[in-house]
Amino acid sequence: MPPALPSIFLQLSRILLLACAYFLAGRLALLLAIPPGFATAIFPPLGISLAAVLLWGNPLLLGVFIGSTVLNTSIAVGNGAGLNPATVLVAAEIALGSSLAAWIGAKLIRKYIGFPNQLMDEWSIFLFFVLGGPTASCVSATVGVTALCLNGVIPVSHVIYSWATWWTGDTIGVLIAAPFMFIIFAQPRQLWGGRFKTVGLPLLISCALIVIIFINASENEEQKVQRNVHANAKEISDNLFAGFEKHINALVPLKGLYLSSDSVTAEDFRRFTSELLTDSSGINALCWNQNVLNVDKEKFQKSMIAEGYQSFFVAERDANNHLVPTKERDRYVVVTYVEPYSKNGGVQGFDLSSENTRNRALMFANDTGQPAMTAPLRSMQMKEDQTIYVIFMPVYKTLDAPKTSAMREQLLRGYVSVVVRINAQLESIHNKFPKENFSIRLDDITDEENIVNVFGDNEPANVNLSKMHNLQFKQKIAGRDLLLNVTPTETYIDKQVSATSWYVLVGGLLFCSFLGGFLLLISGRTQYIAALVEQRTLELESILDGTVEAIIIINQNGDIERANPAAFRLFKMHEQELIGLNSSSIIPLLRDLLTATAEDYIHVSNRSIWKARETIGICGDSSKMPIEIGVSRVDLPDRRIYTCLIHDITARKKVDKLKDEFVSTVSHELRTPLTSISGALGLLVGGAVPQLPPKAMDLLIIAKHNAERLGRLVNDILDIEKLEFGKLQLYISDCEANDLMRQAIEQNAGYAIKYGVHLALQNDNIANKKIIILVDADRFLQVMSNLISNAVKFSQMSGTVSIYATITDKFITFYVEDNGSGIPEEFRGKIFQKFAQADSSDTRKRDGTGLGLSISRVIVERMGGSIDYTTEINKGTVFFFSLPIEELD
């Protein structure tokens, strides 16, 4: 009987487990990936998928698709693509390629080498590796790379490299992962399980060693890249922050100008700053910002007009960012001189204290007596929207800064300031460190709750890769905390990384693959021979110990070396009594065994079988019994042994005698004259003698009817004899239950009409199901006819006999229900016995032999079923029998 198909739940469980295994194996494989492309030299999921489809069928392709989709979606999200329909669609396209590769690989393997296959010869192993590895991997690599290219994930220039690395990873994954799957799950377990030590363990150890070597080489590569990245990032940081210090230092000589002179004209300021502006990258403007008290405001404005600035006035910006006269304040910090004037003259007269950001820097500088830098600002003069810093340095009327805040307030003369354009400063750094190599980001983190981005390049394409090498530098500049992030791009890392470690891994894993194939070949043959020997040994031991026949094994001297439990029982001896005993003492006939000629044997291979014969056996209590013995002579390399099969035929002798007497009596004393009587009566009833009186004809019909009844009785008796002694052959085949029930109704319809009874088939609950049972169709119908005829005979005129069936677990039960008088409970114990009748007079009146139920019971039990009934007096009886279901659809 073929094995039962996996349930839907089991199949779904396998699909989900395969999806999980695909995802986990894929994530683990990425740990061996080498940046920048993250190509991995081994991708086990395809090998796991191929093995799963071969082991459990094409439905597992759904697990491949789900696992691949989830894996590639997670990779895309991890690389910064975000979880969206487009990402999932690309992942699904790649998953389609993986599923297609597993299906094609499995189909080719089944076609050209067959599966299940124990992979024990060179050709099978070679074809399996070629078809499942390089061939199937072409499909997954082609579909996957095409999907990535068409969706813009990789450029066309990377197609060949991506395809080659993809194909390599999938191929090696199949060559290594598929054998591991077979070792864990494939049948027969005795063969594949035994390969764990001979194949799995060496393969696992060699792969581990290769991975360790690879990790070591990768770490060396990574450290080299880190050193190069750190050195360049440190230089970028030093250049940037040194630029800020340079700008602050530019204010020192300008401050000295005002300390050395009480009166500095616009021309003095222009000449002095011209040299400072020449060699100062990133400086947008240098300014003198005079501290003006409110009482001196008008005087100050007139002095500036006198210097030639005709439209000069102290101003602030209104809501529309226009310069308007400033409101009344105690003091003003006014942009007095600014260079280069041509680009920045529009801010002359602007009261810096009127704007909060600048005013906070002014106050900080005056409070500390040190340079102070504003928070990031948007330039008021440049057309493009750029970020600037303004650094203020206080100038006092004394050479040194006053000690107290009050003195500094009183002696404050003004501020020299520098306007720094961050973009220009960082662009100059990019001249040495191009954007295609490094991404630079500068943040002002003075206010941790309001971090301001000062400058930022576009984020690198491979965010995760870049973050691996991202370096940060913090610096305090003129009271502001700045954070610099330097991130190498994928292009830069690509230039730094060599493929040495990747080649080491690929070469090592290929070696492991070939090693696995070689070990499969060697271990397969060894394990097959060992398993075969063990299997044969177990089979022989099972046969010897479990058989009901007595078996003894004797050596060439006739001594008993081994015997089974049945032999101990047969000869009424204990094991220690029988073993070592000379066989001729219990079976005298075996004295002839050692001297038997070749004509006494039937020769088969290296065995010679002694023709079976009947003889006498002697038990331990000296009693004798008739036995039948067969002997097989086996020539081993070093000796000869004899296997003796012994059967006690005492019961058979008695049965044969009784059976012969019974059959002879029935055949000669009953059947022969009965045939003549039935034939003669048939001729008379058929009109062979014309013009018989009606009364005589009635008597002849009665006689013919009873002769036929007697014939049926004889046939039933012969059926019982054949069934009970195993002489009746059953022709078992697949039969459909609904068809058999309909045939039973059709065959018994005429009989029911004779008694005025209606037969009703009530199988609506199973009519649409295909129910296959293993039975002898004719004997099944015989059982149904016996039950239906009994129900019809004991039903009332115009009554109904119902025939139906139900399904419980793996059995189908057939029911025949009548509405007759029922069966007395005291008759239950013998109703299935031969010639059993609840009421002999009623049985005879209703034409019964009392053998039908007995025959039905034996037939049902021979077909692997059981029969029983329920009854209720004056309401009816239900007979039913159950048979195992072979197939249910």
Side-chain angles (χ1 to χ4, degrees):
M1 184 179 295
L5 294 174
S7 65
I8 295 177
F9 175 78
L10 179 60
Q11 200 73 322
L12 287 175
S13 300
R14 287 173 175 167
I15 290 171
L16 291 177
L17 287 174
L18 176 59
C20 294
Y22 193 106
F23 176 80
L24 293 175
R27 297 304 303 185
L28 289 174
L30 290 177
L31 296 178
L32 300 179
I34 301 174
F38 284 100
T40 178
I42 179 172
F43 193 70
L46 186 59
I48 295 172
S49 303
L50 176 63
V53 173
L54 285 170
L55 290 170
W56 299 299
N58 289 337
L60 273 292
L61 291 170
L62 178 59
V64 179
F65 183 83
I66 295 172
S68 180
T69 301
V70 175
L71 172 64
N72 287 288
T73 300
S74 70
I75 293 172
V77 172
N79 287 337
L83 183 59
N84 53 65
T87 301
V88 177
L89 179 61
V90 175
E93 292 171 356
I94 296 173
L96 181 63
S98 300
S99 304
L100 193 60
W103 178 74
I104 290 176
K107 190 174 182 64
L108 290 174
I109 289 170
R110 288 193 181 105
K111 180 177 180 180
Y112 291 104
I113 66 174
F115 199 86
N117 190 300
Q118 296 174 3
L119 300 180
M120 290 186 293
D121 60 89
E122 299 90 335
W123 185 242
S124 295
I125 295 173
F126 174 76
L127 279 182
F128 176 83
F129 279 1
V130 169
L131 297 177
T135 305
S137 298
C138 286
V139 179
S140 58
T142 301
V143 175
V145 172
T146 301
L148 293 177
C149 184
L150 293 179
N151 288 278
V153 179
I154 61 172
V156 176
S157 59
H158 285 191
V159 166
I160 295 178
Y161 172 78
S162 298
W163 189 94
T165 54
W166 196 311
W167 177 83
T168 302
D170 279 355
T171 298
I172 296 178
V174 170
L175 300 184
I176 291 179
F180 272 114
M181 283 286 288
F182 293 150
I183 289 171
I184 298 172
F185 297 109
Q187 299 291 339
R189 290 307 307 147
Q190 187 174 10
L191 172 65
W192 283 103
R195 281 177 160 176
F196 175 75
K197 291 182 179 179
T198 56
V199 179
L201 199 57
L203 192 58
L204 195 63
I205 293 173
S206 60
C207 287
L209 290 175
I210 295 300
V211 169
I212 291 172
I213 295 172
F214 162 75
I215 291 174
N216 185 60
S218 295
E219 287 179 350
N220 291 335
E221 290 283 344
E222 180 68 16
Q223 289 173 3
K224 184 189 78 171
V225 172
Q226 286 283 18
R227 286 194 298 269
N228 292 339
V229 169
H230 187 272
N232 286 284
K234 184 66 169 59
E235 188 173 352
I236 291 173
S237 171
D238 291 345
N239 287 346
L240 176 64
F241 295 130
F244 278 104
E245 294 296 334
K246 183 179 180 180
H247 300 151
I248 294 174
N249 292 335
L251 295 177
V252 175
L254 191 57
K255 177 182 178 181
L257 174 65
Y258 281 90
L259 288 175
S260 63
S261 174
D262 293 333
S263 176
V264 177
T265 64
E267 183 61 21
D268 295 335
F269 187 83
R270 183 186 64 79
R271 290 178 179 176
F272 193 86
T273 57
S274 61
E275 294 183 6
L276 297 176
L277 290 171
T278 302
D279 192 33
S280 297
S281 175
I283 295 181
N284 192 60
L286 289 170
C287 304
W288 164 245
N289 312 291
Q290 187 161 326
N291 182 43
V292 179
L293 298 176
N294 188 45
V295 295
D296 299 326
K297 176 182 175 183
E298 291 299 328
K299 179 181 177 182
F300 172 73
Q301 289 181 146
K302 290 179 180 180
S303 66
M304 292 300 294
I305 293 173
E307 279 196 65
Y309 301 107
Q310 299 300 324
S311 57
F312 182 89
F313 62 95
V314 178
E316 64 181 24
R317 294 190 179 274
D318 62 10
N320 296 322
N321 205 31
H322 296 147
L323 289 175
V324 297
T326 186
K327 297 175 182 177
E328 292 291 328
R329 295 187 186 87
D330 291 339
R331 67 171 61 233
Y332 311 92
V333 179
V334 184
V335 179
T336 308
Y337 303 132
V338 57
E339 291 294 337
Y341 184 82
S342 59
K343 295 180 179 179
N344 304 285
V347 299
Q348 190 178 35
F350 178 65
D351 177 17
L352 297 175
S353 64
S354 66
E355 194 268 314
N356 290 333
T357 301
R358 289 175 171 83
N359 189 48
R360 282 194 295 271
L362 293 171
M363 293 175 64
F364 181 83
N366 190 32
D367 289 341
T368 61
Q370 299 296 323
M373 188 164 64
T374 64
L377 296 168
R378 295 302 172 189
S379 172
M380 294 188 296
Q381 295 298 309
M382 290 179 285
K383 294 181 180 180
E384 64 273 17
D385 188 17
Q386 292 193 21
T387 303
I388 62 170
Y389 275 113
V390 181
I391 304 174
F392 298 103
M393 180 179 286
V395 179
Y396 299 100
K397 295 176 182 179
T398 59
L399 184 62
D400 297 321
K403 301 296 184 183
T404 65
S405 176
M407 291 295 294
R408 285 193 296 272
E409 203 49 51
Q410 181 179 353
L411 297 175
L412 179 64
R413 184 175 176 185
Y415 300 85
V416 289
S417 64
V418 60
V419 178
V420 180
R421 185 162 56 93
I422 302 300
N423 292 40
Q425 187 172 349
L426 289 174
E427 284 169 4
S428 67
I429 293 175
H430 270 317
N431 291 333
K432 183 175 182 180
F433 302 96
K435 292 183 179 180
E436 57 266 22
N437 289 341
F438 290 94
S439 172
I440 300 174
R441 177 186 177 92
L442 181 65
D443 293 317
D444 188 314
I445 60 171
T446 306
D447 184 355
E448 293 184 355
E449 295 182 358
N450 184 27
I451 296 175
V452 181
N453 175 240
V454 181
F455 177 87
D457 291 324
N458 293 330
E459 199 169 60
N462 195 329
V463 178
N464 285 342
L465 174 64
S466 300
K467 286 182 178 178
M468 290 169 52
H469 301 281
N470 178 63
L471 293 173
Q472 294 184 336
F473 301 90
K474 286 180 66 175
Q475 186 76 21
K476 195 173 206 55
I477 302 292
R480 305 296 299 182
D481 293 321
L482 301 182
L483 177 65
L484 175 67
N485 283 276
V486 180
T487 306
T489 63
E490 185 175 354
T491 302
Y492 176 80
I493 296 175
D494 193 9
K495 295 175 183 177
Q496 301 298 311
V497 175
S498 70
T500 303
S501 56
W502 199 83
Y503 293 142
V504 167
L505 183 60
V506 170
L509 292 176
L510 279 175
F511 168 77
C512 292
S513 303
F514 296 143
L515 175 64
F518 175 75
L519 293 176
L520 277 176
L521 177 63
I522 300 302
S523 65
R525 291 182 175 179
T526 304
Q527 187 69 20
Y528 175 74
I529 293 172
L532 190 61
V533 170
E534 184 178 357
Q535 179 183 351
R536 294 292 182 265
T537 303
L538 290 175
E539 288 174 355
L540 291 174
E541 289 180 350
S542 176
I543 293 171
L544 186 64
D545 295 338
T547 184
V548 296
E549 301 291 354
I551 298 175
I552 61 173
I553 298 175
I554 61 178
N555 58 26
Q556 53 196 7
N557 297 322
D559 298 329
I560 300 174
E561 292 186 348
R562 186 168 182 177
N564 69 341
F568 303 143
R569 293 191 298 268
L570 178 64
F571 291 102
K572 301 176 183 178
M573 294 182 182
H574 296 297
E575 181 178 0
Q576 58 270 25
E577 295 175 325
L578 189 59
I579 302 301
L581 190 67
N582 192 276
S583 58
S584 61
S585 62
I586 57 173
I587 307 174
L589 181 66
L590 290 178
R591 290 192 184 98
D592 303 332
L593 181 65
L594 301 179
T595 60
T597 62
E599 289 76 14
D600 294 321
Y601 288 93
I602 300 172
H603 298 281
V604 180
S605 185
N606 67 330
R607 296 181 298 116
S608 298
I609 301 174
W610 201 24
K611 299 171 185 177
R613 59 193 68 188
E614 295 182 3
T615 186
I616 297 297
I618 303 173
C619 298
D621 58 1
S622 299
S623 61
K624 297 181 180 180
M625 59 184 169
I627 61 172
E628 184 179 57
I629 182 171
V631 180
S632 174
R633 185 182 71 188
V634 181
D635 291 319
L636 300 176
D638 57 342
R639 63 196 181 102
R640 175 180 290 176
I641 62 171
Y642 301 86
T643 303
C644 305
L645 181 63
I646 307 163
H647 177 60
D648 182 1
I649 57 174
T650 303
R652 192 176 78 186
K653 291 291 185 181
K654 294 178 181 178
V655 170
D656 285 346
K657 182 178 179 182
L658 292 173
K659 183 183 68 173
D660 291 343
E661 292 175 356
F662 173 78
V663 173
S664 176
T665 300
V666 171
S667 299
H668 296 90
E669 302 300 329
L670 289 177
R671 215 169 190 184
T672 301
L674 185 58
T675 303
S676 300
I677 294 170
S678 297
L681 290 173
L683 291 173
L684 291 174
V685 172
V689 178
Q691 299 180 348
L692 286 174
K695 188 172 183 179
M697 181 60 74
D698 291 341
L699 293 173
L700 288 172
I701 291 173
I702 293 172
K704 181 178 181 296
H705 176 74
N706 282 281
E708 291 173 348
R709 177 169 173 259
L710 185 57
R712 289 195 298 273
L713 174 60
V714 172
N715 290 334
D716 284 348
I717 291 172
L718 292 175
D719 275 351
I720 282 289
E721 187 268 337
K722 291 178 181 178
L723 286 168
E724 290 188 345
F725 293 102
K727 300 297 184 182
L728 184 66
Q729 180 68 38
L730 294 181
Y731 298 96
I732 302 297
S733 61
D734 289 347
C735 299
E736 209 285 316
N738 285 295
D739 292 342
L740 291 176
M741 293 172 68
R742 284 190 287 270
Q743 291 180 44
I745 294 290
E746 293 169 359
Q747 290 182 6
N748 292 277
Y751 186 80
I753 292 173
K754 175 181 174 182
Y755 284 88
V757 175
H758 173 65
L759 298 182
L761 178 59
Q762 301 173 348
N763 66 337
D764 294 342
N765 59 321
I766 63 170
N768 295 326
K769 297 179 180 179
K770 182 180 179 182
I771 308 167
I772 303 299
I773 54 178
L774 286 176
V775 295
D776 183 325
D778 292 336
R779 294 298 174 180
F780 177 91
L781 293 174
Q782 181 181 353
V783 173
M784 291 295 290
S785 294
N786 286 341
L787 298 181
I788 292 173
S789 62
N790 283 347
V792 168
K793 286 186 293 185
F794 290 95
S795 294
Q796 302 296 327
M797 182 71 71
S798 301
T800 298
V801 173
S802 301
I803 296 92
Y804 55 93
T806 60
I807 296 174
T808 305
D809 295 332
K810 295 183 179 181
F811 289 86
I812 181 170
T813 304
F814 300 91
Y815 297 85
V816 178
E817 180 178 354
D818 65 57
N819 297 312
S821 58
I823 301 172
E825 186 61 30
E826 61 269 17
F827 190 62
R828 175 174 289 276
K830 53 185 178 180
I831 192 168
F832 290 107
Q833 296 178 4
K834 290 179 288 186
F835 304 105
Q837 300 171 355
D839 185 341
S840 298
S841 62
D842 190 52
T843 303
R844 291 192 181 96
K845 180 173 65 178
R846 295 183 182 270
D847 187 25
T849 65
L851 290 173
L853 289 177
S854 179
I855 293 172
S856 297
R857 176 184 62 82
V858 177
I859 292 174
V860 169
E861 290 176 352
R862 285 283 303 277
M863 293 191 296
S866 61
I867 188 169
D868 205 347
Y869 75 97
T870 60
T871 185
E872 192 171 349
I873 301 299
N874 297 325
K875 289 190 177 181
T877 301
V878 180
F879 275 88
F880 55 88
F881 63 96
S882 300
L883 293 171
I885 297 173
E886 171 66 13
E887 182 178 341
L888 178 60
D889 188 2

